[in-house]
């Protein structure tokens, strides 16, 4: 199966131009981009992303501005590349009108990644609240029950986000036998890619992820590269990463 | 008013009170919460657990807390008779110990080794550190560096009690960052740790569980009030931040339609953004910290800065059951300003010899506004949720001059 690899950037962070440039460059290697909409209480995120969110908020970053930037990214990348929004329930809840608008549809955003809406609550954004054509991405974890994995995998269309470990973003990845069995079950129950996230920060962990899953998601380490080494450091890191992955 | 609701059945099995509550948390945390819910549902029916908790309430906390007729204050106001439920007389000085002991016992029975929590002003931290000692658990309290500086006496108390105060040095170094840090620590080892949430907020089962542990306050008050007067109070007044003391006293009376329930929110300095914490009065529904509730938020859905002179009341969200009780009209929510609360703080100190916590002074202020408009055959029961020892230095320094306390102090 072809790979489906993604990367996370905080929208308009560290500034609008750098975000657009990093997004376009990253999408030369990656298949999809997760654009973070900052929220001040990001309970699934570790310090690196939480601090980026706070800095973004302090400098006035909001959904409207980020959508402008996504438009600019869209103009620069192949239409086959996918873009998702990643944020928290309250941001979605407050912007339903925007997310249902014609303007938004033109951006061709494929789905929403909302870590504080576990599948048991996703009725919240379905039925009469449904956001037309926007899929809420399913999360699975090493502790998800087999029955839930089968059901959730069956109804996913874009990809399944498998969280490698307990904890928050920015930790380390570990895959034990039980987890790998859960990943296999998800893969055999679904027709879309099963992608591993949380704790993937170099070519070794990416390779491990690709041995078991259809792709990987990288986030914290890229935010750190942008913080420490700027756009050049980000480009060098992703070029080298995909060079090593072959 | 729809007092006909069957309040016994709330929340539903997913933790919803109407549209509020629930569990908006990352999936890896959901499994931990499910585990806590399952254990709690079993344990709350377990006679040996209930007996152990009762004994602690009686012999350790000093329950039942007295119900006191505030005769001087009532006479001075010249209207309704005011009664006080004296939660200020509990061990550690406030109602918080009620749910901290419940959570600590549950954690112990679940085989946990350590209680963790965040604290802002330090009250929840002190109560939890105390509960940890008596139940026999370790305790880590996460606290922003700014708050550690401000709330020195409580930091010292926690230290004396053997708890570890973990300073949080990122961001604004206050309560919000302390919540983040405690969550982060919790997720790294949910097997050995138990995150003891400090109010009727957070994901299911906490709003239900903390309410259940606090509901002893209303059950006692109902019996005591009946013993004194042969009837039910006409009004019950309680301050609402997250809402634990208010749910504690309201719960036993929810189905008594003749009892008017009044929750008091802080309007702080003014109703301008950032100058109050009147969530139910000025907020709109949203999600924060894992649950849905009324929330003070800007047009982008960002939780707003909040303020109250009472640090225990300045939270941008509020308990989901309060959100529900507001919508169905069972509880009326009103506001009291900083200035009114401070007035009430001195008024009850000087008429009854009882120095209240600034949080509780908000409820007293509300009763002071209501009583003169009511006839003398009416009664108001205030939940006096805590004592004011923690507040005296601050109050005298900032407001003393107005009340005849000059630089001599």
């Amino acid at each position: 199966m072809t790979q489906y690899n993604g990367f996370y950037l905080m929208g308009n962070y560290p500034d609008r131009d750098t975000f657009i440039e990093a997004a376009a460059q990253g999408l030369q290697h990656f298949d999809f981009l997760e654009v973070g909409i900052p929220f001040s209480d990001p309970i699934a995120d570790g310090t690196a992303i939480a601090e980026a969110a706070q800095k973004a908020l302090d400098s006035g970053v909001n959904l409207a501005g980020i959508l402008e930037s996504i438009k600019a990214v869209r103009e620069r990348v192949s239409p086959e590349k996918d873009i998702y929004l990643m944020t928290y329930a309250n941001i979605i809840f407050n912007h339903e009108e925007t997310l249902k608008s014609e303007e938004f549809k033109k951006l061709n955003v494929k789905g929403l990644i909302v870590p504080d809406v576990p599948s048991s609550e996703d009725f919240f954004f379905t039925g009469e609240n449904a956001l037309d054509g926007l899929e809420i991405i399913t999360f699975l974890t090493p502790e998800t029950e087999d029955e839930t994995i089968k059901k959730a995998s069956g109804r996913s269309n874009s990809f399944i986000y498998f969280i490698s470990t307990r904890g928050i973003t920015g930790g380390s990845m570990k895959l034990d036998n039980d987890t790998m069995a859960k990943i296999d079950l998800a893969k055999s129950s679904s027709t879309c890619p099963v992608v591993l996230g949380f704790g993937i920060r170099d070519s070794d962990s990416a390779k491990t992820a690709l041995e078991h899953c259809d792709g990987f998601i990288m986030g914290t380490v890229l935010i750190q590269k942008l913080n420490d080494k700027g756009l050049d450091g980000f480009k060098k890191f992703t070029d080298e990463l995909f060079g090593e992955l072959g | 008013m729809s007092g006909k609701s069957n309040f016994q059945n709330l929340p539903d099995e997913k933790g919803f009170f109407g549209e509020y509550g629930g569990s908006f948390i990352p999936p890896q945390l959901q499994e931990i919460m499910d585990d806590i819910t399952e254990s709690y549902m079993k344990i709350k029916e377990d006679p040996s657990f209930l007996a152990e908790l009762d004994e602690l309430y009686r012999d350790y906390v000093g329950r039942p807390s007295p119900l006191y007729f505030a005769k001087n204050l009532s006479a001075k106001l010249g209207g309704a008779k005011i009664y006080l439920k004296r939660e200020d007389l509990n061990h550690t000085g406030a109602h918080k110990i009620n749910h901290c002991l419940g959570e600590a016992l549950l954690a112990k029975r679940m085989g946990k080794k350590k209680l963790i929590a965040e604290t802002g002003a330090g009250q929840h931290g002190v109560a939890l550190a105390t509960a940890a000692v008596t139940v026999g658990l370790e305790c880590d309290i996460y606290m922003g560096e700014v708050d550690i500086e401000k709330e020195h006496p409580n930091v010292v108390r926690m230290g004396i009690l053997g708890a570890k105060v973990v300073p949080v040095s990122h961001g604004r170094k206050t309560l919000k960052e302390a919540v983040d840090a405690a969550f982060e620590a919790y997720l790294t080892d949910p097997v050995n740790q138990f995150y003891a949430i400090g109010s009727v907020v957070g994901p299911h089962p906490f709003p239900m569980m903390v309410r259940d542990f606090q509901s002893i306050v209303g059950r006692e008050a109902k019996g005591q009030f009946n013993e004194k007067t042969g009837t039910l109070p006409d009004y019950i007044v309680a301050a609402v931040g997250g809402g634990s003391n208010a749910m504690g006293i309201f719960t036993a009376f929810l189905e008594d339609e003749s009892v008017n329930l009044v929750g008091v929110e802080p309007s702080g300095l003014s109703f301008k953004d950032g100058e109050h914490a009147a969530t139910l009065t000025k907020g709109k529904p949203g999600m924060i910290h894992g649950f849905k509730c009324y929330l003070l938020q800007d047009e982008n859905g960002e939780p707003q800065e909040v303020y109250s002179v009472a640090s225990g009341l300045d939270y941008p969200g509020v308990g989901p059951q309060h959100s529900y009780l507001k919508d169905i009209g069972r509880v009326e929510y009103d506001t009291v300003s900083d200035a009114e609360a401070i007035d009430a703080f001195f008024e009850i100190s000087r008429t009854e010899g009882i120095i209240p916590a600034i949080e509780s002074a908000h409820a007293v202020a509300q009763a002071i506004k209501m009583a003169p408009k009511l006839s003398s055959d009416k009664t108001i029961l205030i939940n006096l949720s805590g004592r004011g020892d923690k507040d005296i230095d601050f109050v005298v320094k900032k407001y003393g001059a107005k009340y005849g306390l000059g630089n001599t102090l």
Side-chain angles (χ1 to χ4, degrees), chain B residues 235-360:
Chain B
Y235 296 86
I236 299 180
V237 180
V240 177
S244 60
N245 92 76
M247 281 321 307
I249 198 159
F250 289 167
T251 297
F253 297 93
L254 286 173
E255 289 176 16
D256 298 309
E257 288 185 55
S258 70
V259 181
N260 298 286
L261 304 174
V262 184
V264 185
E265 297 195 300
S267 56
L269 297 169
S270 81
F271 280 118
K272 270 193 269 181
D273 290 351
E275 295 200 341
H276 67 89
T279 305
L280 290 159
T281 310
K282 290 286 178 187
K284 62 184 174 99
M287 276 79 77
I288 187 174
H289 296 150
F291 67 107
K292 188 175 179 194
C293 63
Y294 275 82
L295 177 64
L296 289 167
Q297 53 189 330
D298 68 17
E299 66 286 356
N300 287 316
E302 279 302 320
Q304 287 173 319
E305 294 289 315
V306 288
Y307 162 82
S308 164
V309 66
S311 49
L313 302 180
D314 61 351
Y315 183 61
V318 65
Q321 193 167 7
H322 285 293
S323 303
Y324 171 75
L325 292 168
K326 173 191 163 75
D327 280 5
I328 65 165
R330 178 63 189 96
V331 178
E332 180 198 341
Y333 293 90
D334 208 338
T335 60
V336 154
S337 68
D338 279 8
E340 290 168 327
I342 297 297
D343 265 347
F345 176 93
F346 282 98
E347 183 67 19
I348 193 167
S349 295
R350 292 173 179 186
T351 53
E352 298 293 350
I354 295 170
I355 302 175
I358 307 184
E359 290 77 11
S360 319

Side-chain angles (χ1 to χ4, degrees), chain A residues 117-127 136-138 155, chain B residues 14:
Chain A
V117 181
S119 55
S120 61
E121 308 299 355
D122 66 8
F123 66 87
F124 185 74
F125 295 119
T126 57
I136 307 280
I137 301 304
T138 296
R155 60 158 199 248
Chain B
K14 285 186 163 179

Side-chain angles (χ1 to χ4, degrees), chain A residues 171-241:
Chain A
S172 59
M173 183 183 75
K174 16 180 207 294
L175 292 181
D176 55 26
N177 288 337
D178 290 349
T179 302
M180 288 190 274
K182 301 270 184 193
I183 292 172
D184 288 342
L185 179 63
K187 283 168 74 175
S188 64
S189 315
S190 87
T191 54
C192 64
V194 175
V195 178
L196 197 68
F198 282 44
I200 295 158
R201 47 188 312 115
D202 52 26
S203 62
D204 284 347
S205 45
K207 278 178 193 162
T208 308
L210 288 170
E211 280 168 25
H212 303 286
C213 292
D214 303 313
F216 63 89
I217 299 177
M218 202 171 243
T220 298
V221 66
L222 300 178
I223 299 288
Q224 287 165 339
K225 290 290 167 205
L226 282 173
N227 285 347
D228 300 342
K229 306 217 160 103
L231 202 49
D232 291 343
F234 171 87
K235 185 170 173 352
K236 184 163 176 279
F237 179 81
T238 50
D239 286 349
E240 284 175 7
L241 173 73

Side-chain angles (χ1 to χ4, degrees), chain A residues 2 44 59 74 80 90 93 97 111 124 130 140 149 154 205-206 219 241:
Chain A
T2 48
S59 65
R74 269 280 170 234
E80 283 154 31
N90 200 48
F93 185 62
E97 287 312 306
F124 185 74
L140 299 177
I149 292 182
S205 45
L241 173 73

Side-chain angles (χ1 to χ4, degrees), chain A residues 40-41 90 94 115-116 167-168, chain B residues 26 28 176 184 284 287 297 301:
Chain A
S40 61
D41 291 87
N90 200 48
N94 275 273
D116 57 345
I168 51 183
Chain B
Q28 64 275 37
K176 186 174 89 61
E184 191 171 340
K284 62 184 174 99
M287 276 79 77
Q297 53 189 330

Side-chain angles (χ1 to χ4, degrees), chain B residues 155-212:
Chain B
V155 175
V156 172
R157 273 183 200 109
M158 289 186 272
I160 291 172
L161 291 162
K164 187 167 105 192
V165 177
V166 184
V168 179
S169 60
H170 70 272
R172 298 197 171 92
K173 305 175 189 176
T174 60
L175 181 61
K176 186 174 89 61
E177 288 77 19
V179 174
D180 296 341
F183 256 115
E184 191 171 340
Y186 185 39
L187 280 166
T188 58
D189 185 9
V191 176
N192 290 305
Q193 303 185 109
F194 184 97
Y195 190 169
I197 292 180
S199 187
V200 287
V201 299
H204 182 59
F206 282 92
M208 167 181 77
M209 192 163 74
V210 172
R211 172 201 68 191
D212 291 351

